[in-house]
C-alpha cells in the first residue's frame, strides 16, 4: 500500500451537521502484502470482489452530499472489506464467524476458501481494524461536540439473489432494507428513511440484513448517537454482479439526500435552538 493513499477518509461536511454517511464496503483495493495471504487466483478474486463489494455506494454518498441542503460528513473505507471488515465485532460476539467472515474473512461468499483456515487475524486487525475504529469514534465525538448529536447512516447494497454466505438469506429482499438497532435507532429515524425511499417500492426492516454500525465506545451506552443501515438491493441501480451503475443510481442519490435533509430538519441543524434529536412523540 502506497503511503499517499489513505485506507479510510473522513470528508468534512457542514460544521452544524450531525450526520455521518458511513460507506464501509464500497472499495475493491487490496494492498499487495495483504493480497499475498489470499489463496484465490486473480480471476477468482475479481469475481469475489464483484459479489462482496457494495459497488458505487461511495459515489452514491458523494452525490447525496452534494444534493443535500446542508452537507453531511462522510466516512469512507478506501480498502476492500476483504482486507478487514470494519463493521464486524472483532471478537466472539460476531455471528458471522460461523461463516468464516469475522473481522478478517477466511471464506468467500460461496463458502470456499479465501485465506487459510488457521490465519491469525491479529496483524490485520491491529494494522487496519483498530485505526479505522478509532477514527470513526473520533468522527462521532466531533459531531457530538459540535452539535450534541451524531446520526450515522450506513450506506450499503446487497445482491438481488441470496449468496451462500448469508445467515439470514431466506427472508424478504425488498428494494430498500433498513437495518435497525433497538438502542440506537429511534422509530422516527426509520420513518424518515421510509418516506425518503418510498419511490422505490417496499422499504423493509432488518431483512435480509439487520443492525446498524455504532463505534463500540458508544454502542449501547450513549443515546445521543443514532444509527441506521440503508441496504439497497443492487438491481435497483446497477448490473450484477460488479457491473456499471444505471439510472437508478441518480434517483437513489436524490432519495438519500432527502433523508439527510429530513435528519437536519429534525435536528434543527438549520436553526439554533431547534429540536435536539430524534424523539418519538408517542414515547
Amino acid at each position: 500500500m502506497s503511503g499517499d493513499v489513505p485506507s479510510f477518509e473522513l470528508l468534512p461536511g457542514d460544521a452544524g451537521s450531525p450526520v455521518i454517511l458511513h460507506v464501509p464496503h464500497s472499495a475493491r483495493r487490496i494492498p499487495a502484502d495483504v493480497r499475498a495471504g489470499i489463496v484465490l487466483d486473480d480471476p477468482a478474486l475479481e469475481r469475489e470482489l464483484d459479489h462482496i463489494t457494495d459497488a458505487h455506494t461511495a459515489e452514491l454518498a458523494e452525490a447525496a452530499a452534494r444534493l443535500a441542503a446542508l452537507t453531511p460528513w462522510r466516512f469512507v473505507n478506501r480498502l476492500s472489506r476483504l482486507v478487514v471488515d470494519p463493521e464486524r465485532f472483532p471478537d466472539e460476539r460476531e455471528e458471522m464467524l460461523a461463516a468464516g467472515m469475522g473481522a478478517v474473512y477466511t471464506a468467500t461468499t460461496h463458502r470456499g476458501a479465501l485465506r487459510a483456515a488457521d490465519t491469525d487475524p491479529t496483524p490485520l486487525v491491529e494494522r487496519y481494524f483498530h485505526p479505522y475504529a478509532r477514527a470513526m469514534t473520533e468522527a462521532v465525538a466531533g459531531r457530538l461536540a459540535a452539535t450534541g448529536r451524531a446520526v450515522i447512516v450506513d450506506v450499503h447494497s446487497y445482491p438481488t439473489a441470496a449468496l451462500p454466505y448469508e445467515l439470514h438469506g431466506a427472508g424478504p429482499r425488498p428494494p430498500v432494507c433498513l437495518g435497525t438497532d433497538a438502542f440506537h435507532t429511534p422509530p422516527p429515524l426509520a420513518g424518515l428513511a421510509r418516506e425518503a425511499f418510498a419511490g422505490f417500492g417496499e422499504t423493509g426492516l432488518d431483512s435480509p440484513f439487520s443492525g446498524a454500525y455504532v463505534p463500540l465506545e458508544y454502542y449501547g451506552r450513549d443515546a445521543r448517537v443514532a444509527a441506521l443501515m440503508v441496504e439497497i438491493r443492487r438491481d435497483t441501480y446497477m448490473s450484477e454482479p460488479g457491473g456499471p451503475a444505471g439510472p437508478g443510481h441518480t434517483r437513489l442519490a436524490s432519495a438519500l439526500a432527502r433523508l439527510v435533509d429530513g435528519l437536519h430538519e429534525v435536528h434543527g441543524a438549520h436553526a439554533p435552538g431547534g429540536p435536539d434529536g430524534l424523539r418519538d412523540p408517542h414515547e
Side-chain angles (χ1 to χ4, degrees), residues 53-247:
T53 303
D54 293 352
H56 314 298
T57 51
E59 294 81 3
L60 177 64
E62 180 181 8
R66 287 197 307 267
L67 291 169
L70 194 69
T71 305
W73 295 62
R74 285 179 289 140
F75 194 102
V76 183
N77 189 6
R78 298 303 186 189
L79 295 180
S80 169
R81 64 197 289 190
L82 297 184
V83 179
V84 296
D85 191 332
E87 292 210 313
R88 302 293 197 232
F89 286 111
D91 52 34
E92 67 282 351
R93 288 174 293 177
E94 180 51 60
E95 72 167 356
M96 289 303 295
L97 282 170
M101 289 184 165
V104 175
Y105 297 178
T106 57
T108 69
T109 51
H110 289 73
R111 294 185 177 264
L114 181 76
R115 293 181 172 91
D118 61 353
T119 296
D120 180 5
T122 304
L124 289 175
V125 167
E126 291 181 350
R127 181 178 173 186
Y128 294 112
F129 185 96
H130 290 318
Y132 189 107
R134 285 193 295 268
M136 187 64 182
T137 300
E138 291 168 2
V140 170
R143 296 302 82 222
L144 290 173
T147 72
R149 288 290 193 180
V151 185
I152 303 167
V153 178
D154 259 358
V155 184
H156 289 262
S157 71
Y158 74 98
T160 304
L163 291 171
Y165 84 93
E166 296 181 26
L167 298 182
H168 309 288
R173 303 179 81 83
V176 178
C177 162
L178 303 177
T180 66
D181 178 86
F183 186 87
H184 291 283
T185 311
L189 176 49
L192 285 172
R194 284 184 182 275
E195 292 175 9
F197 291 100
F200 291 88
E202 181 188 359
T203 300
L205 290 178
D206 295 315
S207 176
F209 298 101
S210 62
Y213 177 81
V214 175
L216 289 177
E217 181 172 324
Y218 300 103
Y219 183 67
R221 302 176 184 178
D222 194 334
R224 297 176 302 162
V225 181
L228 180 74
M229 179 169 65
V230 177
E231 287 270 7
I232 301 161
R233 202 177 65 204
R234 291 176 189 159
D235 65 339
T236 64
Y237 76 93
M238 64 174 284
S239 299
E240 298 179 81

Side-chain angles (χ1 to χ4, degrees), residues 18-19 149-151 226 262-271 274-278:
V19 179
R149 288 290 193 180
V151 185
L263 291 170
H264 287 150
E265 290 171 8
V266 168
H267 281 272
H270 294 288
D276 65 352
L278 289 160

